[in-house]
Amino acid sequence: MPLLSVTNIRKAYGTRVILEGVSMSLEAGERIGLVGRNGQGKSTLLRIMGGVDRPDQGEVALAKGRRAGYLHQDPKLDPDETLRGAAEGAFAELHELHRRLNALYDAMGDADGPAMDRLLMQQADLEKGIEALGGYAIDHKVDAALHGVGFEDAQFPIKVAKLSGGQKGRLALARLLLEEPDILLLDEPTNHLDIRARLWLEDFLRNEFKGAVVIVSHDRRLLDHVVTRIVEVEHARLIDYPGNYAKFRELREYRRLTQLREFEKQQTRFKQEEEFIRKYKAGQRAKQAQGRLSRLDREKEGALERPMDIGEMRLNLPPAPRSGDMVVSARGLSKQYTNEEGLRKVLFNDLDLSITRGERWAILGPNGAGKTTLVRTLLGEVKPDAGTSRLGASLRVGYFTQEHSHLPMDMPIFRYLQRIVQDENQGKEMSEQQARDLAGAFLFSGGEQERPLGELSGGERSRAVLAGLLASAKNLLILDEPTNHLDIPSAERLEEVLSSEGGYEGTLILITHDRALMDAVCDRLIVLDGAGNAEIFTGNYSEWERKRSERERSKNAEEDAKRAERERQEKARRAAEEAKAAADRAKAAQKQAPKSNADAVWVTLKGRRHRLDRITVQEIEALIEEHETRIRAIDALLADPTVWKDPAKGNALTVERDGHAAALEPLEMEWGRRAEVG
């Protein structure tokens, strides 16, 4: 039986149908990625599965006793709670069980007989529930989840009200993961996560979380590393593909090529039928032509649709003017600032950098590491604390930022593109058709091109701005998180344009957490670690990640070796201490043992000292029995754990035993000697 199923779901907003008759089931342990163009209904389907939205038609069934957790884009959090307290709220049910258990203990103080038996049964049930929900070891889970999504210990006491929108999103993700529902429904979980946090999330979903997962994400690497099934939302329907995202692309391409061939064959047949109808509609075969027209009309009602993305226009970028060989040069560049806690935070220190014409650089690092500040310092918009930065000659800089408030919100997309290209290239005209072609190359269909910018979503607006920027003949492009709000097809289109085969020949500086984009277009990295250090790396992201992983493994192996050496030294130290203690005990025993001199061994017999060689065998045997009896008695005492509650008593008995053992040795030797002689 599936954990969750949706059957014959229909959902429309006004006259626009988003989902029509879709069905889907989720089995235990499945990892599903929902993909498709923005606006196709991915998030709508996820909200319906999570019970956040209701379908117009159809049913949603959640298996009895199972819980589904949905990641809200606008989480409801108590503004007066601390960051850590809000995360620990995931264990509210556990805390309630602890409260009830404590109340139960209070009640046991006055209970007896049958009442006590009932309370003991309730205690067993509560303790079983507490154990199932994590018992008492939850603190490390809370800390691990918060660290995983990018928070530091110093941020734990911050009130939720003081968190940014991105921080609240990361907190909501951590809390949901801590709740450990049977099903995770994640809508863009990597929003606001840096690369390290994305790697942690991938590992958590792949290796730690045991439930089922449905993910809507534009992070292709996350989908490649986590999901085992892709469901594409297209034309209000669902299309199922086995495998991860890379396998999906392969299968979808084959499927759409097959669909295109079928579509073109159908269109060819329609044209042939229309030609026959035109030719014979007024002649002797008019009746036959009329019959074919009726049949053609019926066939067109159920005609195949042209597959999406097939035959989309490709962008021919206008050539940018040639820049100088040196594009950006920095020497000894340093920058720091005072954070909210009043502490000085170093972003980068004594950084040397040289970027030459045509190079493709990516800047990566944790949130708050100073990536955008570095770019603005290189451009001269921010003054460094130390060092110098210089731009090369003949540069035309295009800078994509996250802020688009300057746009003419009432202007249609194609008009905006027409105007921006003409403004950026004085004396160059762009026709309406060229502007529409440009919009089409960035996945705006004919009808969408008429929409004003103010009506676009964040991702659509970013796509329009990128289209205008890339068509404006810039020889230095600086793109700050360009794929943040783009769906996967749009990100792939941007990747095509920026790649060496895509036509852009200028210099690129890219700030991004999109690992697939970095791998596709960048071969040099500036890696900021958030502690003021910067690493310059020649190679793409995957190569750097392999090197980082090797360094991490080497570091861990070194730490393991050091820890093993410390443990070895500690064992050796304890062994030396124990040996010394044993030697001390032996010396003490010797003091209590019979005295000896060079000529004889002396023993105490009936309160008087005698030479060992002058007493009888029977007297030697009596002394041996006396010492052995006492040794057995001491051994019995030392075997009692309560004796060692008083360490002094235990040590005294040990010393006494050593003394008797030392006294026993010469007696046994003398007894043996006489036995041999006799």
Side-chain angles (χ1 to χ4, degrees), residues 501-540:
E501 298 82 15
Y504 181 66
E505 299 176 351
T507 305
L508 175 67
I509 300 176
L510 179 67
I511 299 174
T512 187
H513 298 304
D514 189 329
R515 294 161 286 171
L517 180 64
M518 273 192 284
D519 263 350
V521 304
C522 296
D523 54 12
R524 288 171 174 80
L525 307 178
I526 305 171
V527 185
L528 305 181
D529 68 354
N533 302 307
E535 176 187 358
I536 306 298
F537 180 79
T538 301
N540 64 17

Side-chain angles (χ1 to χ4, degrees), residues 340-582:
E340 295 177 354
E341 289 78 34
L343 302 175
R344 298 295 289 173
K345 179 176 176 62
V346 179
L347 299 179
F348 42 90
N349 186 55
D350 200 24
L351 173 63
D352 293 336
L353 179 65
S354 180
I355 298 176
T356 58
R357 177 168 44 83
E359 291 181 344
R360 312 295 181 88
W361 288 76
I363 304 176
L364 62 149
N367 291 328
K371 300 183 292 293
T372 300
T373 301
L374 174 58
V375 163
R376 296 184 63 205
T377 305
L378 294 174
L379 292 177
E381 296 179 2
V382 172
K383 185 178 179 181
D385 297 330
T388 60
S389 175
R390 188 164 61 91
L391 295 176
S394 305
L395 286 181
R396 295 189 61 189
V397 181
Y399 189 3
F400 176 87
T401 68
Q402 297 299 302
E403 179 58 49
H404 301 144
S405 58
H406 64 286
L407 299 177
M409 295 300 179
D410 58 343
M411 188 175 289
I413 295 171
F414 80 93
R415 290 291 183 203
Y416 163 74
L417 294 177
Q418 189 178 29
R419 194 194 78 174
I420 198 72
V421 171
Q422 290 177 172
D423 287 349
E424 294 290 332
N425 299 271
Q426 294 298 324
K428 179 180 179 180
E429 295 295 323
M430 174 175 253
S431 68
E432 178 178 325
Q433 186 56 51
Q434 288 174 319
R436 289 185 180 276
D437 289 347
L438 175 60
F442 276 85
L443 308 182
F444 290 107
S445 63
E448 291 176 327
Q449 295 173 11
E450 306 285 345
R451 294 171 62 195
L453 296 173
E455 293 182 4
L456 303 183
S457 68
E460 290 169 329
R461 202 171 297 150
S462 293
R463 203 168 359 126
V465 172
L466 283 167
L469 189 62
L470 290 165
S472 297
K474 306 296 186 184
N475 53 27
L476 173 59
L477 278 178
I478 300 173
L479 307 182
D480 191 346
E481 296 290 2
T483 59
N484 250 12
H485 301 289
L486 298 186
D487 55 25
I488 291 180
S490 301
E492 290 175 339
R493 181 54 49 83
L494 176 63
E495 183 179 299
E496 291 173 16
V497 172
L498 293 177
S499 67
S500 55
E501 298 82 15
Y504 181 66
E505 299 176 351
T507 305
L508 175 67
I509 300 176
L510 179 67
I511 299 174
T512 187
H513 298 304
D514 189 329
R515 294 161 286 171
L517 180 64
M518 273 192 284
D519 263 350
V521 304
C522 296
D523 54 12
R524 288 171 174 80
L525 307 178
I526 305 171
V527 185
L528 305 181
D529 68 354
N533 302 307
E535 176 187 358
I536 306 298
F537 180 79
T538 301
N540 64 17
Y541 170 77
S542 290
E543 292 167 341
W544 176 80
E545 177 58 29
R546 281 194 293 273
K547 181 179 177 182
R548 186 199 67 80
S549 297
E550 289 170 3
R551 284 194 306 236
E552 191 78 15
R553 285 194 295 271
S554 177
K555 179 182 177 183
N556 290 340
E558 186 177 333
E559 289 177 352
D560 289 345
K562 288 180 178 178
R563 183 165 51 251
E565 177 61 20
R566 287 195 299 269
E567 290 174 357
R568 187 193 66 77
Q569 292 178 356
E570 177 63 18
K571 287 180 180 178
R573 184 188 65 78
R574 288 199 299 267
E577 289 179 351
E578 290 171 0
K580 183 177 182 300

Side-chain angles (χ1 to χ4, degrees), residues 313-333:
M313 283 176 272
R314 296 297 184 259
L315 182 63
N316 293 317
L317 293 177
R322 182 186 176 94
S323 70
D325 289 341
M326 190 279 290
V327 176
V328 179
S329 176
R331 293 292 178 268
L333 211 59

Side-chain angles (χ1 to χ4, degrees), residues 118-163:
R118 286 194 299 273
L119 291 174
L120 289 172
M121 292 178 62
Q122 293 175 28
Q123 176 189 353
D125 290 340
L126 287 172
E127 288 178 342
K128 184 178 179 181
I130 288 171
E131 184 65 27
L133 292 174
Y136 297 86
I138 63 171
D139 284 347
H140 77 281
K141 290 185 178 180
V142 175
D143 292 349
L146 290 175
H147 290 152
V149 299
F151 289 111
E152 299 175 356
D153 289 348
Q155 296 173 297
F156 288 3
I158 296 175
K159 296 286 188 182
V160 169
K162 293 185 177 181
L163 298 179

Side-chain angles (χ1 to χ4, degrees), residues 241 249-265 307-311:
Y241 296 87
R249 288 192 68 183
E250 177 187 329
L251 294 174
R252 180 185 58 173
E253 184 67 18
Y254 176 78
R255 170 180 164 269
R256 291 189 173 179
L257 285 171
T258 303
Q259 286 180 322
L260 180 61
R261 294 190 191 101
E262 293 299 318
F263 172 80
E264 289 174 342
K265 283 172 59 177
M308 293 179 69
D309 292 343
I310 293 291

